[in-house]
PDB file of all heavy atoms in Angstrom:
ATOM      1  N   ALA A 314       1.085  -2.568 -19.649  1.00  0.00           N
ATOM      2  CA  ALA A 314       1.701  -1.931 -18.480  1.00  0.00           C
ATOM      3  C   ALA A 314       1.212  -2.599 -17.206  1.00  0.00           C
ATOM      4  O   ALA A 314       0.027  -2.984 -17.111  1.00  0.00           O
ATOM      5  CB  ALA A 314       1.383  -0.437 -18.446  1.00  0.00           C
ATOM      6  N   ILE A 315       2.100  -2.754 -16.249  1.00  0.00           N
ATOM      7  CA  ILE A 315       1.763  -3.354 -14.947  1.00  0.00           C
ATOM      8  C   ILE A 315       2.300  -2.459 -13.850  1.00  0.00           C
ATOM      9  O   ILE A 315       3.436  -1.963 -13.927  1.00  0.00           O
ATOM     10  CB  ILE A 315       2.343  -4.779 -14.833  1.00  0.00           C
ATOM     11  CG1 ILE A 315       1.830  -5.669 -15.957  1.00  0.00           C
ATOM     12  CG2 ILE A 315       1.977  -5.399 -13.474  1.00  0.00           C
ATOM     13  CD1 ILE A 315       2.343  -7.079 -15.929  1.00  0.00           C
ATOM     14  N   GLU A 316       1.469  -2.272 -12.808  1.00  0.00           N
ATOM     15  CA  GLU A 316       1.851  -1.439 -11.652  1.00  0.00           C
ATOM     16  C   GLU A 316       1.787  -2.281 -10.390  1.00  0.00           C
ATOM     17  O   GLU A 316       0.854  -3.054 -10.185  1.00  0.00           O
ATOM     18  CB  GLU A 316       0.897  -0.250 -11.540  1.00  0.00           C
ATOM     19  CG  GLU A 316       1.066   0.573 -10.263  1.00  0.00           C
ATOM     20  CD  GLU A 316       0.061   1.697 -10.169  1.00  0.00           C
ATOM     21  OE1 GLU A 316       0.149   2.636 -10.987  1.00  0.00           O
ATOM     22  OE2 GLU A 316      -0.818   1.656  -9.274  1.00  0.00           O
ATOM     23  N   ALA A 317       2.760  -2.111  -9.527  1.00  0.00           N
ATOM     24  CA  ALA A 317       2.775  -2.758  -8.210  1.00  0.00           C
ATOM     25  C   ALA A 317       2.860  -1.686  -7.152  1.00  0.00           C
ATOM     26  O   ALA A 317       3.668  -0.758  -7.238  1.00  0.00           O
ATOM     27  CB  ALA A 317       3.951  -3.723  -8.093  1.00  0.00           C
ATOM     28  N   ARG A 318       2.019  -1.816  -6.130  1.00  0.00           N
ATOM     29  CA  ARG A 318       2.020  -0.861  -5.021  1.00  0.00           C
ATOM     30  C   ARG A 318       2.953  -1.371  -3.925  1.00  0.00           C
ATOM     31  O   ARG A 318       2.744  -2.445  -3.356  1.00  0.00           O
ATOM     32  CB  ARG A 318       0.622  -0.671  -4.455  1.00  0.00           C
ATOM     33  CG  ARG A 318      -0.406  -0.208  -5.472  1.00  0.00           C
ATOM     34  CD  ARG A 318      -1.694   0.159  -4.779  1.00  0.00           C
ATOM     35  NE  ARG A 318      -2.786   0.354  -5.706  1.00  0.00           N
ATOM     36  CZ  ARG A 318      -3.995   0.826  -5.368  1.00  0.00           C
ATOM     37  NH1 ARG A 318      -4.223   1.132  -4.084  1.00  0.00           N
ATOM     38  NH2 ARG A 318      -4.936   0.988  -6.270  1.00  0.00           N
ATOM     39  N   LEU A 319       3.947  -0.590  -3.622  1.00  0.00           N
ATOM     40  CA  LEU A 319       4.931  -0.941  -2.610  1.00  0.00           C
ATOM     41  C   LEU A 319       4.494  -0.351  -1.281  1.00  0.00           C
ATOM     42  O   LEU A 319       4.408   0.871  -1.125  1.00  0.00           O
ATOM     43  CB  LEU A 319       6.309  -0.410  -3.026  1.00  0.00           C
ATOM     44  CG  LEU A 319       7.512  -0.836  -2.221  1.00  0.00           C
ATOM     45  CD1 LEU A 319       7.704  -2.350  -2.305  1.00  0.00           C
ATOM     46  CD2 LEU A 319       8.750  -0.110  -2.734  1.00  0.00           C
ATOM     47  N   TYR A 320       4.204  -1.234  -0.332  1.00  0.00           N
ATOM     48  CA  TYR A 320       3.682  -0.798   0.973  1.00  0.00           C
ATOM     49  C   TYR A 320       4.702  -1.075   2.082  1.00  0.00           C
ATOM     50  O   TYR A 320       5.425  -2.074   2.046  1.00  0.00           O
ATOM     51  CB  TYR A 320       2.419  -1.550   1.324  1.00  0.00           C
ATOM     52  CG  TYR A 320       1.166  -1.109   0.602  1.00  0.00           C
ATOM     53  CD1 TYR A 320       0.769  -1.753  -0.570  1.00  0.00           C
ATOM     54  CD2 TYR A 320       0.372  -0.066   1.079  1.00  0.00           C
ATOM     55  CE1 TYR A 320      -0.380  -1.368  -1.248  1.00  0.00           C
ATOM     56  CE2 TYR A 320      -0.772   0.319   0.413  1.00  0.00           C
ATOM     57  CZ  TYR A 320      -1.149  -0.329  -0.751  1.00  0.00           C
ATOM     58  OH  TYR A 320      -2.286   0.066  -1.400  1.00  0.00           O
ATOM     59  N   ALA A 321       4.681  -0.208   3.085  1.00  0.00           N
ATOM     60  CA  ALA A 321       5.389  -0.480   4.339  1.00  0.00           C
ATOM     61  C   ALA A 321       4.444  -1.306   5.197  1.00  0.00           C
ATOM     62  O   ALA A 321       3.649  -0.763   5.985  1.00  0.00           O
ATOM     63  CB  ALA A 321       5.783   0.816   5.038  1.00  0.00           C
ATOM     64  N   GLU A 322       4.484  -2.611   4.994  1.00  0.00           N
ATOM     65  CA  GLU A 322       3.589  -3.496   5.726  1.00  0.00           C
ATOM     66  C   GLU A 322       4.193  -4.898   5.731  1.00  0.00           C
ATOM     67  O   GLU A 322       5.095  -5.205   4.952  1.00  0.00           O
ATOM     68  CB  GLU A 322       2.205  -3.541   5.071  1.00  0.00           C
ATOM     69  CG  GLU A 322       2.195  -4.143   3.675  1.00  0.00           C
ATOM     70  CD  GLU A 322       0.818  -4.132   3.025  1.00  0.00           C
ATOM     71  OE1 GLU A 322      -0.088  -3.455   3.554  1.00  0.00           O
ATOM     72  OE2 GLU A 322       0.655  -4.791   1.979  1.00  0.00           O
ATOM     73  N   ASP A 323       3.676  -5.736   6.603  1.00  0.00           N
ATOM     74  CA  ASP A 323       4.148  -7.116   6.723  1.00  0.00           C
ATOM     75  C   ASP A 323       3.013  -8.050   6.324  1.00  0.00           C
ATOM     76  O   ASP A 323       2.131  -8.345   7.129  1.00  0.00           O
ATOM     77  CB  ASP A 323       4.610  -7.398   8.150  1.00  0.00           C
ATOM     78  CG  ASP A 323       5.311  -8.752   8.267  1.00  0.00           C
ATOM     79  OD1 ASP A 323       5.206  -9.553   7.326  1.00  0.00           O
ATOM     80  OD2 ASP A 323       5.961  -8.993   9.307  1.00  0.00           O
ATOM     81  N   PRO A 324       2.985  -8.523   5.069  1.00  0.00           N
ATOM     82  CA  PRO A 324       1.888  -9.385   4.633  1.00  0.00           C
ATOM     83  C   PRO A 324       1.756 -10.660   5.458  1.00  0.00           C
ATOM     84  O   PRO A 324       0.656 -11.190   5.580  1.00  0.00           O
ATOM     85  CB  PRO A 324       2.273  -9.717   3.178  1.00  0.00           C
ATOM     86  CG  PRO A 324       3.192  -8.629   2.759  1.00  0.00           C
ATOM     87  CD  PRO A 324       3.953  -8.260   3.999  1.00  0.00           C
ATOM     88  N   ALA A 325       2.864 -11.142   6.021  1.00  0.00           N
ATOM     89  CA  ALA A 325       2.817 -12.383   6.787  1.00  0.00           C
ATOM     90  C   ALA A 325       2.180 -12.194   8.162  1.00  0.00           C
ATOM     91  O   ALA A 325       1.831 -13.171   8.815  1.00  0.00           O
ATOM     92  CB  ALA A 325       4.229 -12.950   6.952  1.00  0.00           C
ATOM     93  N   ARG A 326       2.031 -10.957   8.570  1.00  0.00           N
ATOM     94  CA  ARG A 326       1.427 -10.654   9.892  1.00  0.00           C
ATOM     95  C   ARG A 326       0.150  -9.857   9.689  1.00  0.00           C
ATOM     96  O   ARG A 326       0.005  -8.749  10.189  1.00  0.00           O
ATOM     97  CB  ARG A 326       2.425  -9.900  10.770  1.00  0.00           C
ATOM     98  CG  ARG A 326       3.642 -10.726  11.171  1.00  0.00           C
ATOM     99  CD  ARG A 326       4.686  -9.870  11.853  1.00  0.00           C
ATOM    100  NE  ARG A 326       4.136  -9.135  12.973  1.00  0.00           N
ATOM    101  CZ  ARG A 326       4.475  -7.883  13.262  1.00  0.00           C
ATOM    102  NH1 ARG A 326       5.343  -7.227  12.498  1.00  0.00           N
ATOM    103  NH2 ARG A 326       3.958  -7.267  14.311  1.00  0.00           N
ATOM    104  N   ASP A 327      -0.767 -10.433   8.892  1.00  0.00           N
ATOM    105  CA  ASP A 327      -2.063  -9.825   8.659  1.00  0.00           C
ATOM    106  C   ASP A 327      -1.920  -8.423   8.082  1.00  0.00           C
ATOM    107  O   ASP A 327      -2.689  -7.516   8.406  1.00  0.00           O
ATOM    108  CB  ASP A 327      -2.882  -9.774   9.963  1.00  0.00           C
ATOM    109  CG  ASP A 327      -4.358  -9.505   9.706  1.00  0.00           C
ATOM    110  OD1 ASP A 327      -4.833  -9.828   8.614  1.00  0.00           O
ATOM    111  OD2 ASP A 327      -5.012  -8.944  10.599  1.00  0.00           O
ATOM    112  N   TRP A 328      -0.917  -8.256   7.216  1.00  0.00           N
ATOM    113  CA  TRP A 328      -0.697  -6.996   6.491  1.00  0.00           C
ATOM    114  C   TRP A 328      -0.460  -5.825   7.451  1.00  0.00           C
ATOM    115  O   TRP A 328      -0.820  -4.679   7.142  1.00  0.00           O
ATOM    116  CB  TRP A 328      -1.880  -6.672   5.569  1.00  0.00           C
ATOM    117  CG  TRP A 328      -2.326  -7.801   4.708  1.00  0.00           C
ATOM    118  CD1 TRP A 328      -3.320  -8.686   4.965  1.00  0.00           C
ATOM    119  CD2 TRP A 328      -1.779  -8.179   3.438  1.00  0.00           C
ATOM    120  NE1 TRP A 328      -3.436  -9.601   3.938  1.00  0.00           N
ATOM    121  CE2 TRP A 328      -2.502  -9.293   2.979  1.00  0.00           C
ATOM    122  CE3 TRP A 328      -0.745  -7.683   2.629  1.00  0.00           C
ATOM    123  CZ2 TRP A 328      -2.242  -9.942   1.777  1.00  0.00           C
ATOM    124  CZ3 TRP A 328      -0.498  -8.308   1.423  1.00  0.00           C
ATOM    125  CH2 TRP A 328      -1.225  -9.430   1.012  1.00  0.00           C
ATOM    126  N   ALA A 329       0.124  -6.088   8.585  1.00  0.00           N
ATOM    127  CA  ALA A 329       0.319  -5.039   9.588  1.00  0.00           C
ATOM    128  C   ALA A 329       1.176  -3.899   9.032  1.00  0.00           C
ATOM    129  O   ALA A 329       2.277  -4.135   8.532  1.00  0.00           O
ATOM    130  CB  ALA A 329       1.001  -5.617  10.823  1.00  0.00           C
ATOM    131  N   PRO A 330       0.685  -2.657   9.095  1.00  0.00           N
ATOM    132  CA  PRO A 330       1.484  -1.516   8.605  1.00  0.00           C
ATOM    133  C   PRO A 330       2.725  -1.336   9.467  1.00  0.00           C
ATOM    134  O   PRO A 330       2.725  -1.629  10.668  1.00  0.00           O
ATOM    135  CB  PRO A 330       0.524  -0.334   8.709  1.00  0.00           C
ATOM    136  CG  PRO A 330      -0.508  -0.754   9.704  1.00  0.00           C
ATOM    137  CD  PRO A 330      -0.626  -2.226   9.605  1.00  0.00           C
ATOM    138  N   GLN A 331       3.767  -0.798   8.846  1.00  0.00           N
ATOM    139  CA  GLN A 331       5.047  -0.605   9.516  1.00  0.00           C
ATOM    140  C   GLN A 331       5.418   0.882   9.511  1.00  0.00           C
ATOM    141  O   GLN A 331       5.063   1.614   8.581  1.00  0.00           O
ATOM    142  CB  GLN A 331       6.143  -1.395   8.803  1.00  0.00           C
ATOM    143  CG  GLN A 331       5.827  -2.867   8.606  1.00  0.00           C
ATOM    144  CD  GLN A 331       5.802  -3.638   9.905  1.00  0.00           C
ATOM    145  OE1 GLN A 331       6.791  -3.750  10.597  1.00  0.00           O
ATOM    146  NE2 GLN A 331       4.641  -4.185  10.248  1.00  0.00           N
ATOM    147  N   THR A 332       6.148   1.293  10.519  1.00  0.00           N
ATOM    148  CA  THR A 332       6.595   2.679  10.603  1.00  0.00           C
ATOM    149  C   THR A 332       8.095   2.711  10.841  1.00  0.00           C
ATOM    150  O   THR A 332       8.720   1.701  11.102  1.00  0.00           O
ATOM    151  CB  THR A 332       5.869   3.423  11.743  1.00  0.00           C
ATOM    152  OG1 THR A 332       6.187   2.759  12.968  1.00  0.00           O
ATOM    153  CG2 THR A 332       4.376   3.449  11.540  1.00  0.00           C
TER     154      THR A 332
END
Side-chain angles (χ1 to χ4, degrees):
I315 302 180
E316 171 182 293
R318 303 189 191 187
L319 189 62
Y320 284 94
E322 65 182 12
D323 189 346
R326 294 171 53 219
D327 196 26
W328 311 95
Q331 307 291 297
T332 61

